[in-house]
Amino acid sequence: MPGDALSHDPAELRRRIDTTKAHPARVYDVFLGGKDHYSADLAAAAAGLAANPRGYLDVRHNRDFLRRAVTTLAEQDGIRQFLDIGTGLPTAENVHQIAQRISPDARVVYVDNDPIVLAHARALLTSSPEGRTDYIDADLKDPARILEVAAKTLDFDQPIALCLVAILHFVEDEDAYPLVRELVDALPVGSRLVLSHLTEDLNAENIRAVQRTYTERGFAFVLRSKAEVERFFTDNGLELAEPGIVPAHHWRPDHAAPVPAQPEPAYLDTLEDIEKVRYHDINDVTDADINVYAALGHKSATA
């Protein structure tokens, strides 16, 4: 039920957490400068960075795409409901913070299957008084349960923005397309799909090197072409919004990516390369740095 994230037994959560194996949500946390990860996650992130030294730009620009997309939907399109699957660990500017700053009555449901994310779910449930946030402990591969529980918080008679940001490349084809179809089919007319996805179309050598480091650690890591990403929209009758499917840093750029505060140089010198990532300014991005497609789709009356 909504809010049940807060009622889980801490001992049960600890039992579910495997600190010896890297998890995508926790590796992502490393690149975003978070602290909720383990040595296996740090090692995986460091290996990814060694394979592609500017790979942190994929992660951080993916996150900045989410900021711009949610801002667009709340500010310009009047969307007041968001279903964010593959939420990841709480970080600065979660979906509800962005949406409720614009529209305090916005409702957001987060979904993830990592017990570490569940353990930190309180940070995702700090809604404005007028709005509401909830968290579902569930896997993307169980869309029926996600939709059933989300309906306790979201009104499925009104438009909903489904956010599948940097999650589908962890799902093989035989599951990915049917899962997205089931989710989109449940959404009412006027809903949106916010999607980002890793690809080898743009800078193949860099991202294939990263792919090897993660598949060696047991991750599914599917790099899809632009045409394959487009199928998530066209197969479901969704109309792509301008500018279509583009590298993440080219999706309606506003050049407002946050610049991290800089520590003393002497302190920086004590850090490993992967630990320095959190302090990098991402505004120096070039096309040679990005391997993420980003897009926004609209469910029209004819979908």
Side-chain angles (χ1 to χ4, degrees):
M1 66 181 190
D4 68 350
L6 303 184
S7 63
H8 279 67
D9 178 14
E12 172 63 15
L13 283 180
R14 287 193 295 272
R15 186 193 65 77
R16 287 178 54 192
I17 297 169
D18 182 356
T19 63
T20 66
K21 184 178 179 181
H23 188 284
R26 301 195 301 261
V27 174
Y28 196 71
D29 180 66
V30 175
F31 280 108
L32 292 177
K35 298 179 180 178
D36 300 311
H37 51 261
Y38 298 96
S39 57
D41 309 301
L42 188 64
L49 189 69
N52 180 15
R54 285 174 66 80
Y56 64 90
L57 290 164
D58 277 333
V59 177
R60 303 250 319 264
H61 274 281
N62 175 75
R63 189 75 190 184
D64 202 54
F65 157 67
L66 177 64
R67 174 186 65 81
R68 299 193 307 277
V70 171
T71 298
T72 295
L73 292 174
E75 200 168 66
Q76 300 178 19
D77 296 356
I79 299 296
R80 298 292 178 262
Q81 302 189 105
F82 297 83
L83 177 57
D84 182 6
I85 302 178
T87 299
L89 284 149
T91 187
E93 294 292 271
N94 299 295
V95 170
H96 74 279
Q97 294 167 316
I98 302 166
Q100 291 180 349
R101 184 167 57 243
I102 297 164
S103 179
D105 63 340
R107 293 187 169 212
V108 178
V109 172
Y110 294 106
V111 183
D112 210 298
N113 70 333
D114 181 8
I116 285 286
V117 181
L118 176 58
H120 291 270
R122 287 184 185 275
L124 295 170
L125 301 178
T126 54
S127 174
S128 65
E130 302 92 336
R132 186 170 173 183
T133 62
D134 276 303
Y135 180 89
I136 303 173
D137 178 29
D139 195 301
L140 171 61
K141 293 183 179 181
D142 190 2
R145 178 170 183 271
I146 290 171
L147 293 166
E148 178 186 3
V149 181
K152 299 176 183 179
T153 300
L154 305 179
D155 180 356
F156 275 74
D157 291 326
Q158 298 297 322
I160 295 169
L162 170 63
C163 301
L164 297 175
V165 175
I167 184 173
L168 289 170
H169 44 250
F170 297 117
V171 185
E172 301 290 351
D173 284 350
E174 62 268 23
D175 292 322
Y177 292 105
L179 288 171
V180 174
R181 172 168 288 281
E182 186 169 347
L183 290 165
V184 171
D185 281 352
L187 301 178
V189 168
S191 292
R192 308 295 200 272
L193 172 61
V194 179
L195 186 148
S196 65
H197 200 296
L198 284 170
T199 182
E200 61 183 350
D201 286 357
L202 305 174
N203 300 289
E205 184 177 350
N206 288 349
I207 195 61
R208 285 173 185 159
V210 174
Q211 182 186 43
R212 285 193 295 271
T213 69
Y214 291 142
T215 54
E216 287 169 0
R217 288 166 170 79
F219 293 2
F221 207 86
V222 184
L223 302 173
R224 292 189 171 95
S225 67
K226 185 174 183 179
E228 290 168 327
V229 172
E230 188 173 19
R231 280 190 55 198
F232 290 115
F233 297 89
T234 56
D235 284 6
N236 297 303
L238 299 174
E239 300 173 5
L240 280 166
E242 291 296 329
I245 299 171
V246 296
H249 63 307
H250 287 312
W251 196 91
R252 305 188 190 183
D254 60 7
H255 308 290
V259 178
Q262 296 299 302
E264 292 294 327
Y267 172 71
L268 271 180
D269 290 341
T270 68
L271 301 179
E272 300 292 335
D273 287 345
I274 189 61
E275 296 172 306
K276 295 177 182 177
V277 162
R278 72 184 67 182
Y279 300 112
H280 292 338
D281 181 356
I282 66 171
N283 291 292
D284 65 345
V285 65
T286 71
D287 289 350
D289 296 319
I290 296 298
N291 304 282
V292 181
Y293 279 133
L296 174 66
H298 176 262
K299 186 172 183 177
S300 68
T302 58

